[in-house]
Amino acid sequence: LRDGDKVRDVIETWRRLHGAGGLNGTFTYLHLTGSHSPWPNEDAVRDYGPTVGDRYDGELAKVDRLLGLLLDALEDLEAYRDCILVLLADHGTGLEEHGRVAGFLCYEEQIRIPLLIKVPGIGPRRVAARVATIDLVPTLLDLVAPEADFRFHGRSLLTLLEGEAESLSARPTVAFCAFWDSYTILGPQGRWKLHHHRRRRYEALYDLLTDPGERQNLISEKAEVAEGLRRLLDRFLWEGRLDYANPFHYRAWDGPKN
């Protein structure tokens, strides 16, 4: 379905449920896909121009308009105030910053995404702490089923949302491409980032503190830093081989060396 059709279907379903007794207990997942390359600009708000960046902007404007329709519908059904609302992207996109459009390597433009969470009774605030999408499910469970016993690698962000903490304990952050055998790991302090493409035997190491655009590969100069991150990545992937990790990684692999 086109994105506009998806939104109309969701709104009609909400209206039907509202008429049958209300939306309490309803879970809705909506994935808008028009912002994925090659950006056909179906139902575009307006023509932003001919370049790939222009067409991407056009798709984002369409997403903004469709989200407005969804929020208006929740208001009309008197459900907006009491709902938990989460807005995020599954990934970002490259606009030739590293030589490709869209792309399948985990550069910052492709893994840094928006994450907005609206919770009834919790006031608005901007959280500077680095978090990951793997934290989203534990957060939602903490909100709707705080006594539930669950096992996830991620952790609840509720203390950040409520302003009880400014940050959580330092930890590495892992990202991976679902189509290729490629990963990145950002060290616990958020400075050193290792790109590890196991299938193509390619690695790169960047210092995000001095090189946020990931232009200068320091894999040779900082071999000991890369080795430490590589071991952390191996451990993370091996522990999650039957759970959260990309199924590519454990094919023909006996696990980390240490």
mmCIF file of all heavy atoms in Angstrom, residues 180-207:
data_model
loop_
_atom_site.group_PDB
_atom_site.id
_atom_site.type_symbol
_atom_site.label_atom_id
_atom_site.label_comp_id
_atom_site.label_asym_id
_atom_site.label_seq_id
_atom_site.Cartn_x
_atom_site.Cartn_y
_atom_site.Cartn_z
ATOM 1 N N TRP A 180 23.617 -6.774 4.799
ATOM 2 C CA TRP A 180 25.005 -7.156 4.643
ATOM 3 C C TRP A 180 25.549 -7.623 5.978
ATOM 4 O O TRP A 180 24.973 -7.350 7.019
ATOM 5 C CB TRP A 180 25.850 -5.969 4.160
ATOM 6 C CG TRP A 180 25.624 -5.580 2.745
ATOM 7 C CD1 TRP A 180 24.770 -6.153 1.852
ATOM 8 C CD2 TRP A 180 26.262 -4.506 2.052
ATOM 9 N NE1 TRP A 180 24.833 -5.504 0.652
ATOM 10 C CE2 TRP A 180 25.735 -4.492 0.743
ATOM 11 C CE3 TRP A 180 27.215 -3.564 2.404
ATOM 12 C CZ2 TRP A 180 26.145 -3.570 -0.209
ATOM 13 C CZ3 TRP A 180 27.617 -2.640 1.456
ATOM 14 C CH2 TRP A 180 27.097 -2.644 0.162
ATOM 15 N N ASP A 181 26.663 -8.292 5.942
ATOM 16 C CA ASP A 181 27.320 -8.759 7.165
ATOM 17 C C ASP A 181 28.218 -7.640 7.676
ATOM 18 O O ASP A 181 29.433 -7.773 7.750
ATOM 19 C CB ASP A 181 28.114 -10.024 6.846
ATOM 20 C CG ASP A 181 28.590 -10.743 8.093
ATOM 21 O OD1 ASP A 181 28.173 -10.347 9.196
ATOM 22 O OD2 ASP A 181 29.379 -11.681 7.958
ATOM 23 N N SER A 182 27.610 -6.503 8.027
ATOM 24 C CA SER A 182 28.386 -5.331 8.431
ATOM 25 C C SER A 182 27.810 -4.740 9.707
ATOM 26 O O SER A 182 26.594 -4.749 9.928
ATOM 27 C CB SER A 182 28.400 -4.276 7.320
ATOM 28 O OG SER A 182 27.107 -3.784 7.069
ATOM 29 N N TYR A 183 28.715 -4.197 10.539
ATOM 30 C CA TYR A 183 28.348 -3.718 11.859
ATOM 31 C C TYR A 183 29.182 -2.495 12.207
ATOM 32 O O TYR A 183 30.238 -2.257 11.637
ATOM 33 C CB TYR A 183 28.620 -4.796 12.931
ATOM 34 C CG TYR A 183 28.118 -6.153 12.540
ATOM 35 C CD1 TYR A 183 28.901 -6.994 11.742
ATOM 36 C CD2 TYR A 183 26.868 -6.588 12.919
ATOM 37 C CE1 TYR A 183 28.440 -8.224 11.338
ATOM 38 C CE2 TYR A 183 26.388 -7.819 12.526
ATOM 39 C CZ TYR A 183 27.176 -8.640 11.734
ATOM 40 O OH TYR A 183 26.703 -9.852 11.328
ATOM 41 N N THR A 184 28.700 -1.739 13.181
ATOM 42 C CA THR A 184 29.541 -0.749 13.837
ATOM 43 C C THR A 184 29.343 -0.885 15.337
ATOM 44 O O THR A 184 28.278 -1.303 15.806
ATOM 45 C CB THR A 184 29.209 0.701 13.430
ATOM 46 O OG1 THR A 184 27.851 0.998 13.783
ATOM 47 C CG2 THR A 184 29.442 0.915 11.955
ATOM 48 N N ILE A 185 30.363 -0.527 16.075
ATOM 49 C CA ILE A 185 30.259 -0.458 17.526
ATOM 50 C C ILE A 185 30.894 0.844 17.977
ATOM 51 O O ILE A 185 32.013 1.178 17.570
ATOM 52 C CB ILE A 185 30.904 -1.673 18.213
ATOM 53 C CG1 ILE A 185 30.751 -1.556 19.738
ATOM 54 C CG2 ILE A 185 32.360 -1.869 17.804
ATOM 55 C CD1 ILE A 185 31.066 -2.835 20.490
ATOM 56 N N LEU A 186 30.149 1.583 18.776
ATOM 57 C CA LEU A 186 30.626 2.824 19.356
ATOM 58 C C LEU A 186 30.986 2.541 20.806
ATOM 59 O O LEU A 186 30.182 1.971 21.554
ATOM 60 C CB LEU A 186 29.532 3.896 19.274
ATOM 61 C CG LEU A 186 29.877 5.295 19.790
ATOM 62 C CD1 LEU A 186 31.006 5.917 18.985
ATOM 63 C CD2 LEU A 186 28.640 6.179 19.751
ATOM 64 N N GLY A 187 32.187 2.911 21.197
ATOM 65 C CA GLY A 187 32.667 2.598 22.543
ATOM 66 C C GLY A 187 31.819 3.227 23.631
ATOM 67 O O GLY A 187 31.030 4.151 23.381
ATOM 68 N N PRO A 188 31.960 2.761 24.862
ATOM 69 C CA PRO A 188 31.122 3.220 25.972
ATOM 70 C C PRO A 188 31.141 4.730 26.184
ATOM 71 O O PRO A 188 30.140 5.305 26.615
ATOM 72 C CB PRO A 188 31.710 2.486 27.186
ATOM 73 C CG PRO A 188 32.403 1.296 26.621
ATOM 74 C CD PRO A 188 32.913 1.710 25.283
ATOM 75 N N GLN A 189 32.250 5.381 25.890
ATOM 76 C CA GLN A 189 32.353 6.827 26.107
ATOM 77 C C GLN A 189 31.884 7.639 24.904
ATOM 78 O O GLN A 189 31.898 8.868 24.943
ATOM 79 C CB GLN A 189 33.797 7.202 26.462
ATOM 80 C CG GLN A 189 34.357 6.442 27.656
ATOM 81 C CD GLN A 189 33.449 6.502 28.873
ATOM 82 O OE1 GLN A 189 32.916 7.552 29.212
ATOM 83 N NE2 GLN A 189 33.270 5.364 29.548
ATOM 84 N N GLY A 190 31.463 6.959 23.829
ATOM 85 C CA GLY A 190 30.900 7.661 22.688
ATOM 86 C C GLY A 190 31.907 8.351 21.794
ATOM 87 O O GLY A 190 31.547 9.251 21.041
ATOM 88 N N ARG A 191 33.178 7.927 21.859
ATOM 89 C CA ARG A 191 34.213 8.580 21.049
ATOM 90 C C ARG A 191 34.662 7.704 19.884
ATOM 91 O O ARG A 191 34.563 8.112 18.728
ATOM 92 C CB ARG A 191 35.414 8.935 21.925
ATOM 93 C CG ARG A 191 36.558 9.549 21.130
ATOM 94 C CD ARG A 191 37.746 9.937 22.005
ATOM 95 N NE ARG A 191 38.822 10.515 21.190
ATOM 96 C CZ ARG A 191 39.967 10.965 21.691
ATOM 97 N NH1 ARG A 191 40.184 10.918 23.008
ATOM 98 N NH2 ARG A 191 40.891 11.461 20.879
ATOM 99 N N TRP A 192 35.147 6.509 20.157
ATOM 100 C CA TRP A 192 35.733 5.675 19.116
ATOM 101 C C TRP A 192 34.663 4.770 18.503
ATOM 102 O O TRP A 192 33.912 4.120 19.215
ATOM 103 C CB TRP A 192 36.863 4.821 19.680
ATOM 104 C CG TRP A 192 38.022 5.647 20.143
ATOM 105 C CD1 TRP A 192 38.325 5.987 21.425
ATOM 106 C CD2 TRP A 192 39.013 6.242 19.315
ATOM 107 N NE1 TRP A 192 39.448 6.763 21.461
ATOM 108 C CE2 TRP A 192 39.895 6.935 20.175
ATOM 109 C CE3 TRP A 192 39.241 6.267 17.940
ATOM 110 C CZ2 TRP A 192 40.997 7.643 19.695
ATOM 111 C CZ3 TRP A 192 40.334 6.966 17.456
ATOM 112 C CH2 TRP A 192 41.203 7.639 18.330
ATOM 113 N N LYS A 193 34.621 4.736 17.183
ATOM 114 C CA LYS A 193 33.616 3.955 16.463
ATOM 115 C C LYS A 193 34.303 3.054 15.439
ATOM 116 O O LYS A 193 35.031 3.531 14.566
ATOM 117 C CB LYS A 193 32.621 4.881 15.759
ATOM 118 C CG LYS A 193 31.530 4.156 14.973
ATOM 119 C CD LYS A 193 30.613 5.158 14.308
ATOM 120 C CE LYS A 193 29.577 4.464 13.445
ATOM 121 N NZ LYS A 193 28.751 5.442 12.697
ATOM 122 N N LEU A 194 34.047 1.756 15.558
ATOM 123 C CA LEU A 194 34.637 0.769 14.652
ATOM 124 C C LEU A 194 33.596 0.298 13.655
ATOM 125 O O LEU A 194 32.506 -0.138 14.023
ATOM 126 C CB LEU A 194 35.147 -0.436 15.449
ATOM 127 C CG LEU A 194 35.726 -1.593 14.623
ATOM 128 C CD1 LEU A 194 37.061 -1.193 14.001
ATOM 129 C CD2 LEU A 194 35.870 -2.851 15.477
ATOM 130 N N HIS A 195 33.927 0.398 12.369
ATOM 131 C CA HIS A 195 33.151 -0.223 11.291
ATOM 132 C C HIS A 195 33.767 -1.595 11.013
ATOM 133 O O HIS A 195 34.973 -1.699 10.778
ATOM 134 C CB HIS A 195 33.211 0.615 10.009
ATOM 135 C CG HIS A 195 32.429 1.873 10.063
ATOM 136 N ND1 HIS A 195 31.346 2.113 9.251
ATOM 137 C CD2 HIS A 195 32.565 2.989 10.837
ATOM 138 C CE1 HIS A 195 30.846 3.310 9.495
ATOM 139 N NE2 HIS A 195 31.580 3.860 10.461
ATOM 140 N N HIS A 196 32.949 -2.623 11.020
ATOM 141 C CA HIS A 196 33.450 -3.986 10.825
ATOM 142 C C HIS A 196 32.561 -4.686 9.799
ATOM 143 O O HIS A 196 31.405 -5.001 10.072
ATOM 144 C CB HIS A 196 33.427 -4.741 12.158
ATOM 145 C CG HIS A 196 33.923 -6.152 12.061
ATOM 146 N ND1 HIS A 196 35.262 -6.474 11.967
ATOM 147 C CD2 HIS A 196 33.252 -7.334 12.045
ATOM 148 C CE1 HIS A 196 35.395 -7.792 11.902
ATOM 149 N NE2 HIS A 196 34.198 -8.336 11.947
ATOM 150 N N HIS A 197 33.120 -4.901 8.604
ATOM 151 C CA HIS A 197 32.404 -5.597 7.530
ATOM 152 C C HIS A 197 33.061 -6.965 7.391
ATOM 153 O O HIS A 197 34.071 -7.123 6.717
ATOM 154 C CB HIS A 197 32.499 -4.807 6.228
ATOM 155 C CG HIS A 197 31.469 -5.187 5.216
ATOM 156 N ND1 HIS A 197 31.152 -6.490 4.919
ATOM 157 C CD2 HIS A 197 30.656 -4.424 4.432
ATOM 158 C CE1 HIS A 197 30.210 -6.529 3.989
ATOM 159 N NE2 HIS A 197 29.890 -5.281 3.685
ATOM 160 N N ARG A 198 32.480 -7.963 8.077
ATOM 161 C CA ARG A 198 33.150 -9.256 8.186
ATOM 162 C C ARG A 198 33.241 -9.969 6.847
ATOM 163 O O ARG A 198 34.264 -10.569 6.508
ATOM 164 C CB ARG A 198 32.412 -10.141 9.205
ATOM 165 C CG ARG A 198 33.194 -11.341 9.669
ATOM 166 C CD ARG A 198 32.576 -11.925 10.914
ATOM 167 N NE ARG A 198 31.228 -12.388 10.692
ATOM 168 C CZ ARG A 198 30.935 -13.645 10.320
ATOM 169 N NH1 ARG A 198 31.912 -14.515 10.153
ATOM 170 N NH2 ARG A 198 29.702 -14.018 10.135
ATOM 171 N N ARG A 199 32.186 -9.896 6.066
ATOM 172 C CA ARG A 199 32.170 -10.637 4.809
ATOM 173 C C ARG A 199 33.182 -10.084 3.809
ATOM 174 O O ARG A 199 33.838 -10.827 3.097
ATOM 175 C CB ARG A 199 30.762 -10.594 4.219
ATOM 176 C CG ARG A 199 30.574 -11.494 3.011
ATOM 177 C CD ARG A 199 29.111 -11.488 2.595
ATOM 178 N NE ARG A 199 28.843 -12.384 1.492
ATOM 179 C CZ ARG A 199 27.646 -12.543 0.926
ATOM 180 N NH1 ARG A 199 26.617 -11.870 1.407
ATOM 181 N NH2 ARG A 199 27.478 -13.360 -0.066
ATOM 182 N N ARG A 200 33.312 -8.765 3.766
ATOM 183 C CA ARG A 200 34.233 -8.135 2.819
ATOM 184 C C ARG A 200 35.606 -7.856 3.420
ATOM 185 O O ARG A 200 36.447 -7.233 2.784
ATOM 186 C CB ARG A 200 33.619 -6.839 2.290
ATOM 187 C CG ARG A 200 32.372 -7.077 1.447
ATOM 188 C CD ARG A 200 31.981 -5.850 0.679
ATOM 189 N NE ARG A 200 30.882 -6.121 -0.250
ATOM 190 C CZ ARG A 200 30.413 -5.244 -1.109
ATOM 191 N NH1 ARG A 200 30.934 -4.029 -1.184
ATOM 192 N NH2 ARG A 200 29.411 -5.567 -1.921
ATOM 193 N N ARG A 201 35.793 -8.283 4.677
ATOM 194 C CA ARG A 201 37.078 -8.105 5.349
ATOM 195 C C ARG A 201 37.545 -6.640 5.322
ATOM 196 O O ARG A 201 38.690 -6.320 4.992
ATOM 197 C CB ARG A 201 38.148 -9.012 4.715
ATOM 198 C CG ARG A 201 37.800 -10.488 4.765
ATOM 199 C CD ARG A 201 38.880 -11.342 4.124
ATOM 200 N NE ARG A 201 38.516 -12.743 4.135
ATOM 201 C CZ ARG A 201 38.718 -13.572 5.155
ATOM 202 N NH1 ARG A 201 39.308 -13.116 6.253
ATOM 203 N NH2 ARG A 201 38.358 -14.831 5.099
ATOM 204 N N TYR A 202 36.598 -5.768 5.691
ATOM 205 C CA TYR A 202 36.892 -4.337 5.691
ATOM 206 C C TYR A 202 36.636 -3.782 7.081
ATOM 207 O O TYR A 202 35.645 -4.122 7.733
ATOM 208 C CB TYR A 202 35.987 -3.611 4.686
ATOM 209 C CG TYR A 202 35.955 -2.112 4.854
ATOM 210 C CD1 TYR A 202 36.978 -1.322 4.332
ATOM 211 C CD2 TYR A 202 34.906 -1.490 5.535
ATOM 212 C CE1 TYR A 202 36.954 0.053 4.495
ATOM 213 C CE2 TYR A 202 34.884 -0.114 5.693
ATOM 214 C CZ TYR A 202 35.900 0.645 5.171
ATOM 215 O OH TYR A 202 35.885 2.006 5.336
ATOM 216 N N GLU A 203 37.548 -2.940 7.561
ATOM 217 C CA GLU A 203 37.359 -2.263 8.839
ATOM 218 C C GLU A 203 37.803 -0.810 8.732
ATOM 219 O O GLU A 203 38.679 -0.465 7.940
ATOM 220 C CB GLU A 203 38.148 -2.947 9.954
ATOM 221 C CG GLU A 203 37.534 -4.229 10.463
ATOM 222 C CD GLU A 203 38.209 -4.712 11.727
ATOM 223 O OE1 GLU A 203 39.460 -4.571 11.809
ATOM 224 O OE2 GLU A 203 37.505 -5.209 12.617
ATOM 225 N N ALA A 204 37.181 0.023 9.552
ATOM 226 C CA ALA A 204 37.595 1.422 9.668
ATOM 227 C C ALA A 204 37.342 1.872 11.097
ATOM 228 O O ALA A 204 36.405 1.397 11.753
ATOM 229 C CB ALA A 204 36.825 2.308 8.685
ATOM 230 N N LEU A 205 38.178 2.764 11.577
ATOM 231 C CA LEU A 205 38.044 3.285 12.930
ATOM 232 C C LEU A 205 38.030 4.813 12.868
ATOM 233 O O LEU A 205 38.903 5.417 12.242
ATOM 234 C CB LEU A 205 39.211 2.815 13.807
ATOM 235 C CG LEU A 205 39.197 3.309 15.260
ATOM 236 C CD1 LEU A 205 38.086 2.616 16.047
ATOM 237 C CD2 LEU A 205 40.557 3.069 15.919
ATOM 238 N N TYR A 206 37.025 5.404 13.506
ATOM 239 C CA TYR A 206 36.893 6.858 13.482
ATOM 240 C C TYR A 206 36.816 7.407 14.897
ATOM 241 O O TYR A 206 36.238 6.789 15.800
ATOM 242 C CB TYR A 206 35.628 7.273 12.712
ATOM 243 C CG TYR A 206 35.642 6.844 11.263
ATOM 244 C CD1 TYR A 206 34.879 5.772 10.834
ATOM 245 C CD2 TYR A 206 36.436 7.510 10.329
ATOM 246 C CE1 TYR A 206 34.892 5.368 9.501
ATOM 247 C CE2 TYR A 206 36.465 7.111 8.998
ATOM 248 C CZ TYR A 206 35.690 6.037 8.597
ATOM 249 O OH TYR A 206 35.716 5.645 7.286
ATOM 250 N N ASP A 207 37.385 8.586 15.077
ATOM 251 C CA ASP A 207 37.309 9.326 16.324
ATOM 252 C C ASP A 207 36.201 10.368 16.159
ATOM 253 O O ASP A 207 36.412 11.422 15.557
ATOM 254 C CB ASP A 207 38.647 9.998 16.616
ATOM 255 C CG ASP A 207 38.649 10.775 17.927
ATOM 256 O OD1 ASP A 207 37.578 10.890 18.562
ATOM 257 O OD2 ASP A 207 39.727 11.266 18.310
#
